[in-house]
Structures are given as C-alpha cells and as structure tokens.
Amino acid sequence: NSIKCNKIKDINVNLLQKAFIMLPSQEYWFRVKPFFTFLFQSGELNKDYSKLILYRKKRTKYPTIYSIDEISKIENSIDLNSPNGIRNYAIILLLSRYGIRPCDIARLTFENIDLENNRIHFIQHKTNEPWEAELIPIVKNALINYIDNVRPKDINSTRIFLILVKPIREMNFGTIATMVNDLIAKSGVDISNRKHGARVFRASIASNMIKDNTSTEVVRRVLGHSTKYAIQHYAKIDIESLRLCPLKVPEPSGLFANKLNAKAGVYYV
C-alpha cells in the first residue's frame, strides 16, 4: 500500500525499485524472485522482472568458538547437588568432550553405552553412519552418577536422558538445546554477540583440534562428519595457520591499472 500497488498488473520497474529500497533485508528478494518468475510464466505479467533480482551469495559466517577455559567454566557452573544438574552435567560432557549432536544424545539408549568395556557407540541420526569412541573416565562417572542416583527406575523407556519433572518423559533435541542455551547463558561466560547453543561445542572441538595440528581426517572422524569438506568451515578461524600460506597480491594491469592510475592522477596514452 505504501508504494500504491494494488494489482499485479500495476507492477513496473519503478515500483520494484521503490520496494527494493524499502525492504530492510535482501533475503526477502531471494524469496520473491521465484514468484516473479511464476507471474511471468503464467501470463500475469508481460515482463520477467525476476531477472532484475540478482543472486548474491551470502557471506559465510564464522563459527562461534569457546576456549578450553570457557568450556571448563561452563562445566563447573553446573549444580551437582540437584538431580537436573547431575543429568545436565552428563549431557554437557558428551557435548564438550565428544561433540555429539543433541539429537543423538537425546536418542542414546542403554544399548549404546558399554560401561564394562568403556565404549560408547550409536548410529548418527543426521548421517545414518556409525560413531564409536572410548568412554573416558569423567564422562563414564557422570553417566553412572546420573543413571544410579537420579534417573527414575520405574520408567518404561530405554532412552537414557529423561525430563525429571512430571509427567516424566524422554528428552528430545528441543529440550536439550534449550537446556544448553540457558546453562551457558547463566554460566558467567561472556556470550556478548556470540551464539551459545549446543553447536558451539562441536565448533570449539574442531577449532581446537585444527589449531593443535590434528589432521582433518581425524577431526572428521571425531565429529562424525560424512565428508572431509564439512570441517573446512572451521578451518577459517585458524588464523595462525592461515598466515603460513598467504598469496602474493598481483600487480594491477590492463584496464584495472589504468583506472587506479587515473584516480591517482597518472595517465597513460
């Protein structure tokens, strides 16, 4: 209404320019581009205005990374004198020590934990591929403490992690994600302009391993990625390693050089 376009037939280049200026984000244009294509192909418009909406690749955001000290602070902030705290501590250790996805933590059953042989194994929900690792002492002890002293015994469920308030039920991805988000926010760690969800643990593990010169194949296997390309997202923040492989900036030439020289007041004939 603000640009006075009440009918599809009234759309023209000038109205599109006004709308483009008024929209706060270009993301809206990526959504309406197919709509303009449809209007042209269906005969509602006699011109294909979708051609005016150029595709612009989004900038890839850097992953949020927490230092080892910050992760320790998050772990130490958990109240181990409460049932929820004991359960949450076990979940946080699975995140911080292994980088297991919340959806997989929620699906863990007693068959996935081999306390006798110190192994943890499961089929990843995202990739449908197996994942296995040694059950390190700190994680094993946290799981035993939760299972033996907190987890209700009279619940007909093989899932390990449960919501402990009535009605008692299985945790899911959403409840774990919300718990982690709140826990980090209350831990005392600085979260200003930083993400503080469960995914930051995976990103932090990958970043710290890459900084320690761990091979990308090992990082891939630890995080359970199905392809080696998945961890390239984390390599961008290893600034010190990137400093070792800079490319020399080429000297300007041709039309580009002429334009630079013209701006500097130097002209070549």
Side-chain angles (χ1 to χ4, degrees):
N1 292 333
S2 58
I3 59 174
K4 298 179 180 180
C5 180
N6 299 318
K7 298 179 181 179
I8 292 178
K9 296 293 185 181
D10 294 337
I11 296 176
N12 56 45
V13 174
N14 291 331
L15 290 177
L16 285 176
Q17 288 178 336
K18 291 180 180 179
F20 185 82
I21 293 173
M22 294 173 62
L23 282 177
S25 172
Q26 291 189 10
E27 292 182 9
Y28 293 106
W29 286 98
F30 300 144
R31 298 173 186 173
V32 300
K33 181 180 175 74
F35 179 60
F36 281 116
T37 301
F38 165 75
L39 291 177
F40 173 69
Q41 292 176 348
S42 62
E44 295 292 333
L45 291 174
N46 57 11
K47 293 182 180 180
D48 187 2
Y49 292 112
S50 68
K51 303 297 183 182
L52 299 176
I53 305 173
L54 301 179
Y55 172 76
R56 181 173 296 177
K57 186 176 180 181
K58 286 185 177 180
R59 290 184 178 180
T60 302
K61 296 181 179 179
Y62 292 108
T64 299
I65 303 300
Y66 286 79
S67 68
I68 294 175
D69 290 339
E70 288 177 319
I71 292 174
S72 296
K73 187 173 182 178
I74 293 169
E75 294 173 353
N76 294 332
S77 70
I78 300 173
D79 179 13
L80 295 180
N81 293 315
S82 70
N84 280 337
I86 293 173
R87 180 204 61 193
N88 295 346
Y89 183 64
I91 293 174
I92 290 295
L93 288 180
L94 290 171
L95 289 166
S96 66
R97 304 309 165 96
Y98 298 110
I100 301 176
R101 298 181 182 92
C103 59
D104 291 324
I105 293 178
R107 289 177 171 82
L108 286 178
T109 68
F110 289 101
E111 292 182 354
N112 302 132
I113 306 295
D114 185 350
L115 296 175
E116 183 177 349
N117 297 303
N118 297 322
R119 305 298 296 175
I120 177 173
H121 56 87
F122 56 88
I123 301 298
Q124 298 175 94
H125 177 68
K126 182 177 181 179
T127 63
N128 203 33
E129 293 187 358
W131 184 95
E132 183 175 355
E134 178 185 357
L135 194 59
I136 58 178
I138 187 173
V139 179
K140 178 179 179 180
N141 293 336
L143 285 169
I144 291 175
N145 187 24
Y146 162 68
I147 293 170
D148 289 349
N149 302 316
V150 172
R151 189 184 185 278
K153 302 294 190 294
D154 56 347
I155 298 299
N156 185 25
S157 173
T158 59
R159 295 277 182 92
I160 293 178
F161 294 108
L162 304 175
I163 295 175
L164 301 178
V165 296
K166 294 183 179 181
I168 295 175
R169 56 203 183 277
E170 298 169 347
M171 298 188 78
N172 56 34
F173 168 83
T175 53
I176 290 179
T178 299
M179 178 275 290
V180 172
N181 191 296
D182 292 343
L183 194 151
I184 296 177
K186 297 175 182 177
S187 67
V189 170
D190 182 16
I191 60 171
S192 303
N193 299 318
R194 303 168 79 187
K195 294 181 179 179
H196 51 284
R199 183 175 293 184
V200 301
F201 290 101
R202 288 176 61 82
S204 300
I205 288 174
S207 173
N208 290 327
M209 291 181 73
I210 291 172
K211 288 179 179 178
D212 289 340
N213 297 319
T214 305
S215 72
T216 55
E217 178 61 20
V218 171
V219 178
R220 184 188 72 81
R221 290 182 179 276
V222 168
L223 294 182
H225 285 301
S226 56
T227 68
K228 63 182 180 180
Y229 302 105
I231 65 168
Q232 292 179 353
H233 180 59
Y234 305 117
K236 296 181 299 184
I237 60 174
D238 186 5
I239 303 300
E240 295 307 316
S241 295
L242 291 175
R243 294 184 194 278
L244 300 177
C245 49
L247 297 176
K248 183 179 179 181
V249 179
E251 291 292 331
S253 60
L255 181 61
F256 180 58
N258 288 335
K259 287 187 175 181
L260 291 178
N261 290 329
K263 289 182 178 180
V266 179
Y267 298 89
Y268 294 95
V269 179

